[in-house]
Amino acid sequence: MARLILNTENQQFDLNKQQTTAGSASNPRALLRNRSKKYMDLIAGLDTHNLTDTKGMALLMNAIQEEFGTAELGNWPLGIVAKCFLGHPYEVHTYDLSASQILHHYKVGEPLPDQFEKARTLAKHNAYALVEVYKDYVILIREDGSASTTSAAL
Amino acid sequence: MSDRLISSADISGIEYKLRQLDSNLDRVTNNISHVRTEVGGVLNEVGTLNQRQAQLAADLNQLAAAFSDFVKNDGKQKSLQLAETRQGNLKQDLEIKFGYYGEVRRMATGILQGVDTGIVSDGTLRATTEEVMLKAPGYWLAPALITVASWIRNDKATADKALNESLRRDDYKTTLFFMLVMRRLNRYEASLQWLNRYFMHQNPYNLDREFVIILEAVTTGVFPPAARQLMMKNAKSWLAQLTQSGDYINDQKAQWLQFFHAKAPVVSGKYPLLEQFCNNWTALETYLQTVSAHEPIQAHFKNVIGASTDLSKAIKVQLDEILSMLVTNFDDEELPLQQQVRLNELIIDMDGDKAAAQSVMDAEKHIFQEKVDFLQLLTNAAFNPAKAGASKVTQALAVSISQPWIVEAHDTFTANSRNSIPNLIVYNIDGFTAGTQDGSDEESLLGQHEGYWTNVLKAELAKAPYPTSNVILGGLIIALGAGLLIVNPIVGVLAAGVGIWLVLNTLNKHKKTIQQIKDSTANREQKSKEVLRGCIAETVDYRKECAREDAKAEVVRALLTSITPEDFSSVSKDTRNILTTN
């Protein structure tokens, strides 16, 4: 039984090719690509610099826009949770992309808004610089910008 | 009158009758015992009869069994005879329709051996192969043999024509055949070309069973080093194809996650106090288990990556086996007939048991039809190289190609483990419940503990109230005694004495009870405190161990991210020796 020869020569895929946007509806795995240094720096800066809320919001939205490009809004994170360096009793802070006040510090034991609570334990871990919160899962970003997730199906 | 009557009464007659009655009774008794013996005899006989009946039933059963055995055996015998007859016919059929195929195959093996030894003349080769071509029209192996023969005698034109014909008849088999023959003859350039063609035949969604052996051969350097680059190029494009669509990667990730979970060791018995006095020990244990998996995982990958080249000629033998299977195994068009022959063969082997033969047949079919996608093949080779028919070198290569999603799966495993860390460790010691994060708040816990036991003591003491009623009663009796002193001093003194005794006794008893409560509570508190201190100590150890194990996750990650498929090109350095010396 003779087989057709697959014309693999014409189907060249470059594995090293970087996609320009982090996510698309067709391939959510792209959300696991490395985050840019600019994005990482900006998010780290938002906490240490005392930005006013409006300016912070604008900056954050810009950074997200740049990082996630034209990806559908559904693939944008709902917000970000990170370890708070204000010291005890503060534990984590959140950037809520849907709220008017973006930066909020939370004390130990103080409950986070519903969708953010699932990121709390991981945000406290030193291995992760920040945790992006999505509807069904979280994406953990390390200092070097590499991403991983709690969901096996991603 | 009456006296006389009595004295003159003669009872001898009565006595006689009584004696007679007695003897009659004896006789009756005798008779009864006789009857009993008789009945016993009858019973015995009935028993014997029963026995005989049981024997008869058993005999009958045996007969029935023997009969059914006979029927079964007869059936089998008939199936056997039928199978034998049919097999004869089928073989005849095969011989008539495909008899020359067998001859071509035998000749192929012969020609290959002849080429190996170089003792067959070109003329003979030419004559026989051309004859075969005429006798076996449509069979791919015939022109393939002509190609070999004309290639040996440097007849390029004929070789090309024959090769084209062979490819036209069965491209895949011809490709595999020439790839293996060229490798066998150490014609590296040619074998590389054929290998390239072989790769083009492969469908990454549906790889053939022998692919893993080819992969193994390429990995271990049985093919020329350039073959490795060729394979990596193909592998990369397949990966891109497979990862773009469907859940192939997710399936592999899920398998790796399971694999990581399976590496979690047993940890019970390490923290006996926490195990006994912790409310959320199950969560603590689960976390410790998963977090302890990183070390075995690291050991596993180190072992895979560090595997020295444990190759031998085994792979070459396997390649030759494929070649020999390729030339000796029947072709697809013969398959239906050959399958029937195989079934009849199995029926004969199983002494006519059709059902057993069919199940063996089905199992065999399954094995040979098994096809996997490229990612699954890599995962199989990475998990269990021996079962997948690969060596440790291929395992290392499989791991290195699968590295991106192994890292992803490990990241997920780590994140899930870190997410499940219990924040509080909750003790429950003799009714005292308190939670701590890491045992660093020992002072506060001990303070809470003391407070708890003060309350317990209070509650316990409250259960033994002051015996007011008895004391009042005693007081009243004393008062009564004092009142009686005027009327009757002796009774008064006695009553007062009783009263005083009652009061003193009651007070004494109460004091003892209080002391008992204090003692037992203090005792419980002491024990509880010891347990608490032990628990705190274990908590500190537990958190330290968890942190230590958790840190290993980063080491594993670093190890995994350092693996690249290119690393394994160095593996072939040792194997090239085999190539050049053989």
Side-chain angles (χ1 to χ4, degrees):
Chain A
M1 194 173 66
R3 274 162 257 214
L4 283 178
I5 294 181
L6 277 177
N7 194 5
T8 47
E9 291 298 320
N10 295 334
Q11 297 177 350
Q12 290 298 322
F13 293 96
D14 187 2
L15 282 186
N16 300 318
K17 200 174 95 184
Q18 287 286 325
Q19 278 176 301
T20 46
T21 57
S24 71
S26 61
N27 194 1
R29 275 176 47 75
L31 283 173
L32 293 181
R33 72 168 187 96
N34 279 9
R35 299 295 184 267
S36 71
K37 189 169 183 310
K38 199 175 162 192
Y39 173 78
M40 298 300 294
D41 287 349
L42 187 108
I43 303 232
L46 275 180
D47 188 28
T48 47
H49 302 168
N50 266 332
L51 293 166
T52 62
D53 290 333
T54 7
K55 199 180 163 199
M57 183 68 163
L59 272 175
L60 185 67
M61 285 319 239
N62 276 345
I64 300 263
Q65 171 79 43
E66 255 181 61
E67 197 65 22
F68 293 85
T70 51
E72 284 172 38
L73 270 177
N75 280 332
W76 278 28
L78 303 169
I80 291 164
V81 185
K83 190 173 183 169
C84 189
F85 292 100
L86 289 180
H88 194 77
Y90 292 101
E91 193 173 53
V92 291
H93 57 245
T94 60
Y95 303 105
D96 194 335
L97 298 183
S98 59
S100 53
Q101 192 193 2
I102 56 153
L103 180 61
H104 200 293
H105 300 277
Y106 289 88
K107 292 177 185 167
V108 175
E110 191 183 349
L112 264 61
D114 269 353
Q115 70 270 31
F116 288 124
E117 194 61 53
K118 62 176 179 278
R120 188 183 199 132
T121 310
L122 289 165
K124 284 193 295 180
H125 200 284
N126 284 332
Y128 310 112
L130 54 102
V131 181
E132 292 172 355
V133 180
Y134 294 78
K135 190 166 162 282
D136 297 322
Y137 45 84
V138 296
I139 289 187
L140 314 157
I141 314 291
R142 288 162 190 268
E143 293 288 344
D144 62 1
S146 64
S148 49
T149 176
T150 52
S151 160
L154 197 72
Chain B
M1 176 82 181
S2 59
D3 284 346
R4 194 187 62 84
L5 270 177
I6 288 165
S7 65
S8 66
D10 181 10
I11 58 168
S12 61
I14 297 172
E15 278 176 348
Y16 172 73
K17 289 282 177 195
L18 274 176
R19 267 198 300 277
Q20 211 171 12
L21 194 65
D22 195 29
S23 84
N24 279 349
L25 266 177
D26 275 350
R27 206 176 306 152
V28 168
T29 313
N30 273 344
N31 283 346
I32 286 174
S33 77
H34 184 68
V35 167
R36 195 178 284 157
T37 326
E38 297 265 305
V39 167
V42 169
L43 279 179
N44 267 345
E45 279 189 17
V46 169
T48 321
L49 269 178
N50 273 343
Q51 238 173 8
R52 278 195 193 150
Q53 204 199 345
Q55 179 72 36
L56 212 63
D59 284 351
L60 212 64
N61 274 341
Q62 215 174 353
L63 195 68
F67 183 69
S68 101
D69 271 357
F70 170 76
V71 170
K72 219 160 133 187
N73 278 334
D74 189 55
K76 275 189 179 177
Q77 196 63 32
K78 282 195 175 130
S79 310
L80 188 65
Q81 278 172 359
L82 197 66
E84 278 169 346
T85 323
R86 271 192 192 155
Q87 204 190 17
N89 293 342
L90 285 169
K91 280 196 168 164
Q92 232 167 16
D93 262 13
L94 263 178
E95 186 60 35
I96 293 165
K97 286 185 188 159
F98 304 105
Y100 288 120
Y101 284 32
E103 204 172 304
V104 179
R105 286 183 209 120
R106 267 197 304 283
M107 196 173 284
T109 324
I111 287 177
L112 288 177
Q113 281 170 5
V115 171
D116 274 355
T117 49
I119 48 169
V120 185
S121 76
D122 289 354
T124 318
L125 275 181
R126 181 178 191 157
T128 43
T129 50
E130 279 172 7
E131 193 190 333
V132 157
M133 181 75 192
L134 296 177
K135 282 181 176 174
Y139 191 28
W140 68 273
L141 193 52
L145 290 180
I146 294 193
T147 313
V148 174
S150 47
W151 176 67
I152 289 170
R153 59 170 195 274
N154 251 338
D155 180 355
K156 191 169 184 300
T158 316
D160 284 350
K161 262 193 261 171
L163 183 58
N164 276 333
E165 181 56 23
S166 179
L167 284 171
R168 195 186 61 75
R169 288 182 180 182
D170 193 332
D171 198 321
Y172 178 71
K173 282 186 176 161
T174 309
T175 304
L176 189 55
F177 176 78
F178 280 104
M179 178 180 89
L180 295 168
V181 169
M182 292 304 139
R183 189 212 60 79
R184 228 167 162 267
L185 300 174
N186 290 345
R187 303 274 302 187
Y188 296 135
E189 266 310 303
S191 75
L192 197 61
Q193 294 294 325
W194 285 111
L195 187 66
N196 193 17
R197 197 179 176 86
Y198 174 78
F199 277 129
M200 288 198 286
H201 266 293
Q202 292 302 324
N203 176 356
Y205 295 94
N206 218 355
L207 290 172
D208 287 303
R209 272 182 75 252
E210 73 265 7
F211 181 77
V212 71
I213 302 170
I214 307 293
L215 179 78
E216 176 84 4
V218 175
T219 325
T220 52
V222 175
F223 282 96
R228 189 183 296 273
Q229 286 164 13
L230 185 70
M231 190 192 66
M232 287 313 300
K233 199 184 90 187
N234 278 292
K236 278 187 178 177
S237 91
W238 290 350
L239 282 184
Q241 237 176 305
L242 288 172
T243 51
Q244 293 256 325
S245 61
D247 289 328
Y248 290 97
I249 287 280
N250 288 342
D251 287 349
Q252 310 314 312
K253 272 171 76 178
Q255 289 181 42
W256 280 104
L257 264 179
Q258 259 183 10
F259 175 81
F260 293 144
H261 275 291
K263 287 278 172 197
V266 179
V267 292
S268 62
K270 267 185 166 174
Y271 300 99
L273 287 178
L274 290 184
E275 211 170 326
Q276 199 180 341
F277 295 102
C278 219
N279 270 351
N280 55 342
W281 170 248
T282 321
L284 294 172
E285 191 183 21
T286 313
Y287 174 67
L288 181 60
Q289 252 177 349
T290 47
V291 84
S292 303
H294 293 301
E295 195 169 318
I297 291 171
Q298 188 192 357
H300 173 81
F301 283 109
K302 263 194 169 166
N303 181 30
V304 170
I305 307 305
S308 60
T309 51
D310 63 339
L311 351 145
S312 54
K313 291 181 180 170
I315 293 122
K316 290 188 173 184
V317 172
Q318 274 181 318
L319 286 178
D320 281 347
E321 262 172 29
I322 299 179
L323 181 61
S324 109
M325 261 165 57
L326 194 62
V327 293
T328 53
N329 272 13
F330 33 85
D331 259 51
D332 294 345
E333 46 191 321
E334 301 169 62
L335 208 60
L337 269 178
Q338 291 285 8
Q339 271 174 350
Q340 285 182 47
V341 170
R342 176 72 185 139
L343 180 64
N344 284 319
E345 207 172 83
L346 283 169
I347 294 175
I348 295 166
D349 281 353
M350 309 265 170
D351 284 334
D353 194 339
K354 265 180 167 171
Q358 190 59 52
S359 70
V360 172
M361 183 86 180
D362 291 346
E364 280 182 0
K365 227 183 196 170
H366 181 67
I367 293 169
F368 290 104
Q369 281 177 351
E370 218 167 73
K371 286 194 172 190
V372 290
D373 64 84
F374 183 55
L375 298 184
Q376 189 59 51
L377 181 125
L378 290 177
T379 307
N380 290 349
F383 280 158
N384 194 343
K387 210 174 160 191
S391 75
K392 287 200 116 185
V393 182
T394 303
Q395 184 184 26
L397 182 86
V399 165
S400 72
I401 299 176
S402 319
Q403 183 248 25
W405 56 95
I406 298 180
V407 173
E408 276 179 26
H410 184 258
D411 274 345
T412 301
F413 175 72
T414 311
N416 285 336
S417 152
R418 284 173 179 166
N419 208 11
S420 72
I421 186 166
N423 281 325
L424 273 186
I425 294 181
V426 186
Y427 308 135
N428 185 353
I429 308 162
D430 198 359
F432 169 70
T433 12
T436 176
Q437 282 204 341
D438 51 11
S440 61
D441 47 352
E442 186 172 6
E443 287 304 313
S444 146
L445 282 171
L446 287 174
Q448 282 178 45
H449 184 256
E450 211 177 307
Y452 170 78
W453 280 103
T454 314
N455 286 337
V456 169
L457 185 63
K458 263 188 204 161
E460 289 292 319
L461 287 179
K463 282 183 200 161
Y466 194 77
T468 326
S469 54
N470 273 8
V471 173
I472 290 173
L473 184 67
L476 285 175
I477 294 172
I478 296 170
L480 185 72
L484 280 175
L485 273 178
I486 309 159
V487 186
N488 189 340
I490 298 167
V491 176
V493 168
L494 276 174
V498 168
I500 290 166
W501 175 83
L502 186 64
V503 171
L504 287 180
N505 193 34
T506 307
L507 287 180
N508 202 21
K509 261 190 184 166
H510 179 64
K511 205 175 146 193
K512 269 189 188 163
T513 313
I514 297 292
Q515 195 53 46
Q516 260 176 2
I517 289 173
K518 279 184 178 167
D519 285 353
S520 88
T521 311
N523 193 17
R524 277 171 67 193
E525 183 182 352
Q526 185 57 34
K527 279 184 184 158
S528 163
K529 197 173 171 182
E530 279 167 24
V531 171
L532 176 63
R533 279 180 187 280
C535 279
I536 293 172
E538 284 193 0
T539 301
V540 173
D541 289 349
Y542 174 85
R543 288 295 193 201
K544 272 188 188 159
E545 185 179 354
C546 288
R548 228 174 21 242
E549 295 297 330
D550 181 60
K552 288 176 186 162
E554 301 302 310
V555 183
V556 176
R557 190 171 196 274
L559 176 75
L560 287 174
T561 44
S562 72
I563 303 169
T564 56
E566 283 69 26
D567 285 349
F568 294 91
S569 47
S570 59
V571 175
S572 66
K573 278 179 191 161
D574 305 306
T575 57
R576 279 175 67 184
N577 294 334
I578 299 177
L579 267 181
T580 46
T581 54
N582 196 350

